[in-house]
Amino acid sequence: MTDWAAIKADFPVLKQTANGAPLVYLDSGNTSQKPQRVIDAMSNYYETINANVHRGSYDIAVKATDAIEGARQKVAAFINAPSSIEVVFTKNATEALNLVARSWGGANLGEGDAVVISEMEHHANIVPWHMLASEKGFELRWISVKDDGHLDLSNLDELLDGAKLLSITAMSNVLGTLNPIHRLAEAAHAHGALIAVDGSQYVPHLATDVQAMGADFLIFTGHKMLGPMGIGVLWAREEILEAMPPFLGGGEMILNVTKEGFTTNEVPWKFEAGTPMVAEAVGLAAAIDYLNEIGMDEVRKHEVELTAYALRTLKERHGDKITIHGPSEPAERGGVLSFVYDQVHPHDVAQVLDQKGICVRAGHHCAKPLLRTLGVPATSRVSLYIYNDESDIDLLAETLTEASDIFSF
Ligand SMILES: Cc1ncc(COP(=O)(O)O)c(C=O)c1O
């Protein structure tokens, strides 16, 4: 049995008050909090072995290099990648998606081609494709989202016909919807397309196996999985990375430079120009250790139970006053609940909650096409993680009543 109260106690931020009330953090889809162990691992790195990597010949430089390469191996094992050389460190998921677009897309897409995405993508998986499409002239096709929060896959074959890439989120950051990645990968491959999976909301919350998914690319971001800001991951199959041109140029990514040109380093370093984020990699490795000790199946179980409790409690307490978007079945979704409450603007909801120390996000959640489909300009969004419990949901449900008292007419 996991001691969830002991886990919560590992997060120093949660020991504070905000506006005079104990801080209740319900915004982990935005960024997660960090356990003391991650903070200590990063401080310890700076206190003991800080040095630039891959180029130093002295003791602490070797240790720093071992630290970043050890972190790479840990990331590879966490997603069941066949090899750690398939793991590229980036600044965040956004940079990883831009890397796929600029490098793979730049080399492989042109007029007459198509890339398929969905209406539930984060802007990070939309804008890079818009930018490239306007230069290269390929078509961007959209999988629609149904009223129940699931993808409309009725015309999937039509959309994939002639497409070179399906780039899609494994879990929506607005609806919580878990998408059928294995099925989508099979469909993409049957049409000769590759599949890039945006795992930013999925990898922190569910056991991830890139091989079982059938993915060609997986993108995620360290700060949503208890790790630090400033590190993201692009995983891709080795032969795909080998064939891709470099993304950014400079130090680290070359084998040789002459007045006439340069030769590129081996993968993954070919894609890691300049000094990398060593302390952040150490922090991410500590976060992975922490999650592994709990067990990703336990993490998921806790979140399904808490999501079920939240859906039930909010409905019981607020009935028709609250509209919660996304799948109604907790097993088909993650712990992300976007809602509209009693004609109160989501920013007003967030402000009232803030007065009680409750942190939620209000706005379009960087998913404007989806919000247009939902027919709302903004929602309030609660997103759960391992340090949340039923008391957080109870306080949320109770405080919402105050928003209604103040703002509804
Ligand atoms: C589904 C999804 N993709 C991509 C991102 C972008 O992550 P980052 O800002 O770390 O690059 C987010 C962040 O909210 C997200 O939810």
Side-chain angles (χ1 to χ4, degrees):
M1 279 290 285
T2 307
D3 183 349
W4 297 107
I7 284 174
K8 187 172 182 176
D10 286 340
F11 290 79
V13 162
L14 303 178
K15 293 179 181 151
Q16 310 171 70
T17 55
N19 292 321
L23 192 124
V24 172
Y25 191 72
L26 293 172
D27 196 21
S28 297
N30 207 350
T31 195
S32 68
Q33 296 303 341
K34 324 301 171 199
Q36 188 64 52
R37 209 193 301 175
V38 167
I39 300 164
D40 288 347
M42 294 178 75
S43 306
N44 186 50
Y45 163 78
Y46 279 121
E47 284 165 14
T48 58
I49 59 167
N50 175 53
N52 215 325
V53 292
H54 302 136
R55 51 183 92 163
S57 50
Y58 46 88
D59 182 54
I60 59 170
V62 173
K63 285 180 175 146
T65 303
D66 288 349
I68 189 169
E69 294 311 322
R72 199 186 304 278
Q73 282 169 10
K74 214 153 254 182
V75 169
F78 192 63
I79 58 172
N80 197 29
S83 164
S84 67
I85 65 167
E86 297 178 337
V87 170
V88 179
F89 286 133
T90 61
K91 185 173 69 174
N92 48 34
T94 304
E95 187 179 88
L97 283 156
N98 276 275
L99 198 170
V100 176
R102 284 283 142 195
S103 170
W104 182 87
N108 289 285
L109 298 171
E111 274 182 35
D113 292 328
V115 169
V116 180
I117 61 174
S118 87
E119 278 179 352
M120 67 167 77
E121 300 311 310
H122 186 281
H123 294 164
N125 193 26
I126 300 174
V127 182
W129 303 114
H130 272 320
M131 288 165 68
L132 195 67
S134 67
E135 282 171 35
K136 297 273 181 179
F138 61 85
E139 186 191 350
L140 199 53
R141 298 181 187 157
W142 298 78
I143 302 175
S144 310
V145 173
K146 297 187 290 184
D147 288 346
D148 64 5
H150 288 288
L151 295 173
D152 179 357
L153 298 177
S154 58
N155 60 344
L156 184 64
D157 282 325
E158 204 182 304
L159 289 171
L160 285 171
D161 188 26
K164 283 207 167 156
L165 180 74
L166 168 60
S167 188
I168 192 140
T169 188
M171 179 177 139
S172 163
N173 67 316
V174 177
L175 303 170
T177 315
L178 291 166
N179 288 327
I181 295 299
H182 184 69
R183 177 181 164 196
L184 291 166
E186 281 186 340
H189 293 153
H191 285 273
L194 298 182
I195 179 166
V197 179
D198 179 357
S200 301
Q201 296 289 342
Y202 184 98
V203 175
H205 303 278
L206 288 96
T208 305
D209 181 334
V210 285
Q211 300 183 63
M213 276 178 165
D216 298 300
F217 301 93
L218 177 76
I219 292 97
F220 56 103
T221 198
H223 69 95
K224 293 187 202 284
M225 53 185 289
L226 312 181
M229 292 182 178
I231 187 161
V233 174
L234 168 64
W235 168 85
R237 287 194 290 110
E238 187 182 345
E239 64 268 30
I240 298 174
L241 287 178
E242 293 286 0
M244 281 163 55
F247 174 46
L248 300 173
E252 290 262 326
M253 51 72 69
I254 50 88
L255 275 186
N256 194 15
V257 183
T258 63
K259 284 187 176 168
E260 287 70 42
F262 69 96
T263 51
T264 53
N265 203 343
E266 292 162 3
V267 295
W269 304 283
K270 175 168 90 172
F271 298 105
E272 295 180 357
T275 298
M277 53 303 268
V278 187
E280 286 72 17
V282 166
L284 180 58
I288 288 175
D289 283 343
Y290 190 88
L291 286 169
N292 278 336
E293 277 170 32
I294 300 170
M296 289 309 290
D297 291 342
E298 269 300 282
V299 170
R300 172 68 181 149
K301 192 165 149 263
H302 177 69
E303 285 177 23
V304 171
E305 282 168 11
L306 208 52
T307 304
Y309 184 79
L311 289 168
R312 201 168 59 237
T313 306
L314 291 170
K315 270 289 161 202
E316 271 169 19
R317 184 90 186 228
H318 298 288
D320 290 342
K321 278 188 173 179
I322 193 163
T323 305
I324 304 172
H325 295 283
S328 51
E329 263 306 307
E332 295 172 2
R333 60 179 300 149
V336 171
L337 292 93
S338 283
F339 61 90
V340 176
Y341 182 70
D342 199 20
Q343 300 169 340
V344 184
H345 193 281
H347 282 113
D348 291 334
V349 170
Q351 196 189 344
V352 171
L353 295 174
D354 177 48
Q355 292 310 304
K356 287 282 158 73
I358 305 170
C359 312
V360 302
R361 181 163 174 196
H364 55 64
H365 316 297
C366 300
K368 281 197 157 204
L370 176 61
L371 268 80
R372 273 188 210 103
T373 298
L374 298 176
V376 289
T379 70
S380 306
R381 184 186 73 181
V382 162
S383 46
L384 307 167
Y385 212 1
I386 51 174
Y387 33 70
N388 293 119
D389 59 27
E390 292 184 358
S391 74
D392 298 339
I393 308 295
D394 292 340
L395 190 66
L396 168 77
E398 191 182 311
T399 312
L400 276 178
T401 310
E402 292 179 26
S404 170
D405 293 346
I406 300 170
F407 287 108
S408 51
F409 49 88

